[in-house]
Amino acid sequence: MQPQFPINIEDAKFRELSVVPNSSKSPKTIQIIDPEFSSVCPKTGLPDYGRVILRYIPDESCVELKDWKLFLRDFYGVGAFHEDCTQRIADKFAIAVMPLQFLLVIDWGARGGLHTTTQLSWVQGEGYVQAEPDAIFLNHAIEWNNR
């Protein structure tokens, strides 16, 4: 957690992500869902809540889950726009883990009558790529609730 509330994203301290060796070279997809992500709006200071969905195909290493959870908790109290949170999380993951590819989706809770979903896709050797929208991205209103 951050030392003061709210904190400017440029002043925020984010932990480094640790990795563990990929236990086998079998092709696999790993999905990690964090239903408790939180930051604050940098304009109003109101809380933003989101569900972070990370789906990736590892290469040599996998993200260490406890570090991943604690890294996401570092956003608590940080004033950042939805798009900036998504970009910073994706950048940190890409640098630390270097997977074959990943998709990061954040399904943000409704605030002020607006429900936002952000998505980034990354491929090893290419960087960020435009990908087809994930089902969560397209269908978030099916099970919509005003968290």
Side-chain angles (χ1 to χ4, degrees):
M1 289 200 219
Q2 302 299 331
Q4 65 186 51
F5 183 87
I7 190 166
N8 182 299
I9 186 107
E10 300 304 328
D11 299 328
K13 304 271 190 278
F14 297 101
R15 73 192 68 236
E16 295 301 315
L17 290 172
S18 297
V19 296
V20 296
N22 184 359
S23 60
S24 72
K25 295 299 177 190
S26 313
K28 64 178 149 254
T29 299
I30 298 171
Q31 179 169 287
I32 307 167
I33 299 173
D34 178 1
E36 299 175 343
F37 183 79
S38 178
S39 62
V40 298
C41 174
K43 295 284 188 185
T44 65
L46 294 173
D48 283 326
Y49 301 103
R51 180 173 55 142
V52 176
I53 300 107
L54 173 66
R55 189 177 304 135
Y56 73 102
I57 300 172
D59 189 9
E60 299 294 321
S61 57
C62 300
V63 69
E64 198 282 320
L65 291 176
K66 182 178 179 184
D67 276 359
W68 177 248
K69 174 182 70 174
L70 294 174
F71 165 68
L72 294 177
R73 293 304 164 268
D74 286 343
F75 282 85
Y76 181 82
V78 173
F81 294 109
H82 296 164
E83 301 81 1
D84 197 16
C85 286
T86 308
Q87 187 71 58
R88 287 171 187 260
I89 292 167
D91 288 348
K92 190 79 141 186
F93 181 80
I95 290 167
V97 180
M98 290 298 294
L100 295 175
Q101 65 184 53
F102 75 84
L103 172 70
L104 176 70
V105 177
I106 304 181
D107 187 26
W108 296 90
R111 186 170 41 81
L114 299 175
H115 182 186
T116 306
T117 303
T118 52
Q119 172 180 306
L120 281 173
S121 298
W122 185 93
V123 175
Q124 192 178 84
E126 297 179 43
Y128 290 103
V129 297
Q130 184 64 43
E132 291 298 316
D134 186 83
I136 295 163
F137 194 84
L138 292 173
N139 299 318
H140 69 264
I142 292 173
E143 294 183 33
W144 181 82
N145 62 52
N146 193 7
R147 296 178 223 180

